[in-house]
Amino acid sequence: MLKEKKILSRPEILTGAFTFCAGCNHGTINKLIAESIESLGLREKVIAVIGVGCCSTMYNFWDTDAIVVPHGRAQAVATGLKRVHPDKIVFTYQGDGDLAGIGMHEAIHTPNRGENITTFFINNGIYGMTGGQGAPTTLLGAKTTTTPLGRVASEGVPIRMCELLETLSAPVFIQRVALFSPAETMKARKAIEKALKCQVEGRGFSFVEFLSNCPTNWKMTPLESLEYVRKMSDYFPLKVFREPQ
Amino acid sequence: MKGNEAIAEAAIRAGLNFYAGYPITPATEILEYLARHLPVRGGVFVQAASEIEAINMVYGAAAGGARAMTSSSGPGMSLKMECISYIALAELPCVIVDIMRGGPGLGDIQPAQSDYFQIVKGGGHGDYRLIVLAPSTVQEAYDLTFESFLLADRWRIPVIILGDGALGQVKEGVDLYDKAPVLFEKPWALSGAKGRKPNKIVPFNLEALELEKMNLALQNKYRAIEAQEVRFENVNINSKTKLIVVAYGTCGRIAKSIIKMAVEKGLDIGLIRLISLWPFPHNEIRYLARNFPSTKFLVVEMSAGQMVEDVRLSVSDDTRVSFFGRMGGVVPAPEEILREIERKGLC
Ligand SMILES: Cc1ncc(C[n+]2csc(CCOP(=O)(O)OP(=O)(O)O)c2C)c(N)n1
Ligand code: SF4
């Protein structure tokens, strides 16, 4: 009970009201990351690199240094920042269109260089900001504005980013989490801390994928959308793919 | 020393902290020189996996307050354009070297000046400007690159060094004078909000009125740059000059040799060699056109005629402005240009 309460309290790093839709997991993920940064005492070291999508307005309520970057390029920008500020904590926050669509180039090369940054990847299986088009992660059969009959394999089989990154030797931390239950949410919180710790310790590239929801564009109630995220986890298994020994 | 090497060396001496690039002829020596020399002289070198990655790394490094640079040519410059537009609105300083080659398409790897429109007029989206400097010798490439970092920091704007394959590849002696770079305080840079309010670099605003304000601020800055940073060289221009050749970069250099040949032939030809393409010396050309009403202008470019549009705008009388150009990587010979002048009876 106490733990659940902690998740719902608002970390000091976050100021002002969220601009996400009601019931959207983006808000919870923001809170979890902010909490982890606070509990690791990293607030004055953090530089947030914010991708293009529903997250672009995040800079408004993050009381840390922040930069908004071209669609898909967050990890390249983070590379430039981290290389000139190796002692700072640089994380990217990117949607699935941003990272696994237009940003796939950076999404492979940055981990492969073992850049000492952390990427938070928000996989809601859809392009939220632009109104619900299909993403590279949209489940087969799912209806979006660009897959009106349900996605078929010839439109691309949903990409599993964690599994893809697991083929690279350089990344040090890869985990997929979800927020459809308090227990999973606590795991997500721990994953964020572990990923950031990897960066603090200078180990190399860390990656946390969040299975997330989009009640607005999925046209579901928040509760229904969480059930759908649970279904997504059949295809996108929740697990630790790699962590330091 | 090759032009490309002089540019790279000047950047290091100007205090370059971060470079990212991707191979492309005829600009590759900049990348290779910095791979060898930058890390051992205290900077960071990254070979990116594309020009898009490279310019975005520069965006990050510049946001972090570093002196940052990338370099490329035609196809690679096209890829950089989206991010250059972001950097322009974010008002971050950086230096971008473009060693032009023949286009369009994959084109070739010979010298050309066919990217004037792209670099001087925009290329990326939105109303932005970049300071564009066009050296015509290796020494000038060194001098302007050194200075470009200062201009970038002073105005918080990307500065482009616009050369071509001839400048990049030619070997000439260079005076590598030792001059301490002038460094700037960057209180706006991202470095973690320790003991200060957070810094945010946000090149967008979803409110039209707010974005218009950001645009107006940019435009005000551009007017100030136009008033202070115009650079050009006048050769042999006086009330008797019948023809003024207007050129920049390699063509500017070729045009200089025409002036010499013309003097021997008893022809009154002068030259305006542009050094800054933006800001463009509109006022100066307008002044000459008004004060010497019978003087004609010949614009020489390695293109189908791009800068000539700006000269026509300044002269405001198209009948007085002619154009000579070669394309596809062909460098015009001085004799060829002089023949054209005589054939058209311009002088
Ligand atoms: C180069 C470029 N192409 C397209 C867009 C338009 N665009 C803005 S957000 C977005 C999709 C974002 O979707 P996602 O990354 O999944 O994040 P979400 O909004 O779902 O959180 C697109 C295509 C853009 N801003 N820039
Ligand atoms: S559109 Fe979807 S992803 Fe974006 S804030 Fe709304 S619910 Fe969240």
Side-chain angles (χ1 to χ4, degrees):
Chain A
M1 198 54 216
L2 218 126
K3 280 180 184 170
E4 283 185 43
K5 208 176 160 205
K6 195 172 168 211
I7 292 165
L8 293 172
S9 76
R10 203 174 161 103
E12 273 178 30
I13 283 187
L14 299 179
T15 56
F18 284 149
T19 40
F20 304 123
C21 308
C24 177
N25 277 170
H26 266 306
T28 317
I29 298 167
N30 267 255
K31 279 186 202 158
L32 294 177
I33 297 171
E35 266 180 19
S36 306
I37 288 169
E38 263 171 25
S39 75
L40 292 173
L42 300 175
R43 180 182 183 168
E44 295 185 330
K45 284 189 156 192
V46 157
I47 305 174
V49 181
I50 301 166
V52 173
C54 288
C55 61
S56 294
T57 50
M58 258 172 79
Y59 75 90
N60 264 325
F61 38 82
W62 272 74
D63 198 28
T64 64
D65 278 10
I67 181 169
V68 179
V69 305
H71 195 22
R73 313 299 164 212
Q75 292 170 312
V77 178
T79 298
L81 270 163
K82 184 74 182 186
R83 293 290 188 107
V84 300
H85 287 301
D87 55 331
K88 299 298 188 277
I89 298 302
V90 179
F91 73 83
T92 72
Y93 187 104
Q94 305 173 256
D96 48 348
D98 193 89
L99 182 132
I102 194 167
M104 185 58 108
H105 177 71
E106 282 75 5
I108 298 294
H109 288 290
T110 313
N112 194 46
R113 283 193 307 269
E115 289 299 338
N116 189 27
I117 64 164
T118 303
T119 286
F120 298 120
F121 169 48
I122 289 66
N123 175 4
N124 60 5
I126 204 156
Y127 284 55
M129 174 84 169
T130 40
Q133 298 78 24
T137 42
T138 302
L139 292 183
L140 292 180
K143 286 186 181 166
T144 70
T145 62
T146 51
T147 57
L149 303 177
R151 191 183 198 200
V152 294
S154 62
E155 291 168 311
V157 177
I159 289 177
R160 297 181 176 106
M161 281 311 300
C162 289
E163 286 80 347
L164 208 58
L165 294 189
E166 210 191 356
T167 65
L168 306 175
S169 60
V172 293
F173 184 85
I174 307 170
Q175 184 172 347
R176 184 184 288 120
V177 299
L179 308 171
F180 53 71
S181 72
E184 294 302 335
T185 306
M186 282 318 295
K187 280 193 209 161
R189 169 78 156 71
K190 284 209 181 96
I192 297 167
E193 269 195 33
K194 280 190 197 164
L196 288 170
K197 265 192 194 147
C198 284
Q199 188 180 162
V200 171
E201 289 160 9
R203 291 176 185 273
F205 184 80
S206 48
F207 185 83
V208 182
E209 170 173 346
F210 301 81
L211 296 187
S212 190
N213 64 349
C214 180
T216 302
N217 289 302
W218 291 356
K219 300 184 173 53
M220 291 180 190
T221 64
L223 222 57
E224 288 166 351
S225 75
L226 291 183
E227 262 324 294
Y228 190 80
V229 174
R230 192 190 293 272
K231 200 178 113 191
M232 276 169 78
S233 68
D234 293 340
Y235 183 83
F236 296 108
L238 305 180
K239 65 176 208 183
V240 179
F241 291 83
R242 189 175 296 163
E243 64 182 329
Q245 292 312 310
Chain B
M1 190 172 229
K2 280 190 178 188
N4 282 337
E5 293 167 341
I7 287 170
E9 180 60 32
I12 296 177
R13 289 182 188 229
L16 184 66
N17 306 113
F18 182 91
Y19 171 91
Y22 187 82
I24 185 166
T25 312
T28 304
E29 291 85 358
I30 300 173
L31 170 86
E32 290 174 337
Y33 190 96
L34 290 170
R36 286 198 304 277
H37 296 276
L38 186 57
V40 292
R41 287 161 74 180
V44 176
F45 169 90
V46 185
Q47 178 173 348
S50 72
E51 289 85 351
I52 297 177
E53 234 194 352
I55 187 71
N56 279 279
M57 288 175 182
V58 164
Y59 179 33
R67 285 205 156 160
M69 182 171 97
T70 182
S71 55
S72 192
S73 184
M77 288 305 297
S78 294
L79 287 181
K80 290 184 195 293
M81 286 300 157
E82 181 200 25
C83 191
I84 291 176
S85 164
Y86 274 67
I87 299 174
L89 183 58
E91 297 197 75
L92 296 180
C94 67
V95 174
I96 303 162
V97 184
D98 179 7
I99 303 297
M100 289 183 283
R101 61 190 228 170
L106 186 54
D108 63 18
I109 57 172
Q110 314 303 327
Q113 296 180 316
S114 51
D115 303 337
Y116 178 95
F117 283 156
Q118 180 190 41
I119 300 302
V120 178
K121 298 292 175 179
H125 53 291
D127 281 308
Y128 70 86
R129 291 290 188 178
L130 309 169
I131 293 180
V132 184
L133 303 176
S136 74
T137 64
V138 175
Q139 182 69 54
E140 196 177 28
Y142 180 84
D143 298 344
L144 290 178
T145 305
F146 190 91
E147 213 187 330
S148 65
F149 286 90
L150 187 128
L151 286 177
D153 279 352
R154 175 183 297 150
W155 294 105
R156 291 183 58 184
I157 193 172
V159 177
I160 307 247
I161 299 292
L162 189 66
D164 60 61
L167 177 78
Q169 299 302 320
V170 71
K171 276 193 181 171
E172 289 175 343
V174 188
D175 174 9
L176 303 175
Y177 45 78
D178 248 324
K179 197 161 83 172
V182 178
L183 299 178
F184 282 63
E185 290 286 318
K186 298 184 177 177
W188 45 262
L190 305 184
S191 58
K194 189 178 167 107
R196 60 158 168 79
K197 279 194 171 159
N199 284 336
K200 300 187 185 186
I201 294 177
V202 184
F204 83 103
N205 198 309
L206 297 177
E207 299 295 329
L209 279 172
E210 290 304 314
L211 186 59
E212 188 182 48
K213 269 189 209 153
M214 289 165 79
N215 267 285
L216 287 171
L218 274 188
Q219 292 302 320
N220 282 339
K221 174 168 90 174
Y222 295 157
R223 295 299 86 77
I225 296 173
E226 281 169 340
Q228 293 178 50
E229 302 294 355
V230 170
R231 286 146 200 251
F232 60 94
E233 178 190 16
N234 276 354
V235 184
N236 200 36
I237 294 183
N238 53 53
S239 55
K240 283 186 295 182
T241 310
K242 291 208 177 100
L243 176 71
I244 296 175
V245 175
V246 189
Y248 70 94
T250 292
C251 280
R253 182 179 192 149
I254 295 167
K256 264 195 180 173
S257 56
I258 298 174
I259 306 297
K260 276 197 200 134
M261 291 159 69
V263 171
E264 284 162 20
K265 288 192 171 202
L267 298 174
D268 276 321
I269 301 183
L271 165 69
I272 302 176
R273 183 177 69 82
L274 274 67
I275 299 169
S276 65
L277 299 179
W278 193 86
F280 190 88
H282 278 297
N283 290 339
E284 291 71 14
I285 295 179
R286 198 167 294 143
Y287 175 87
L288 290 173
R290 283 198 188 136
N291 282 277
F292 307 141
S294 56
T295 304
K296 292 189 167 124
F297 294 82
L298 173 70
V299 180
V300 179
E301 296 176 65
M302 295 190 286
S303 80
Q306 300 192 9
M307 183 180 72
V308 65
E309 293 191 359
D310 280 322
V311 177
R312 286 196 190 111
L313 211 64
S314 311
V315 174
S316 298
D317 178 357
D318 289 1
T319 61
R320 291 169 65 191
V321 182
S322 314
F323 173 74
F324 180 78
R326 296 295 304 263
M327 285 176 278
V330 181
V331 180
E335 296 77 14
E336 191 181 354
I337 301 169
L338 212 54
R339 265 204 309 280
E340 178 77 1
I341 291 172
E342 290 176 315
R343 191 180 67 78
K344 283 193 175 160
L346 295 174
C347 193

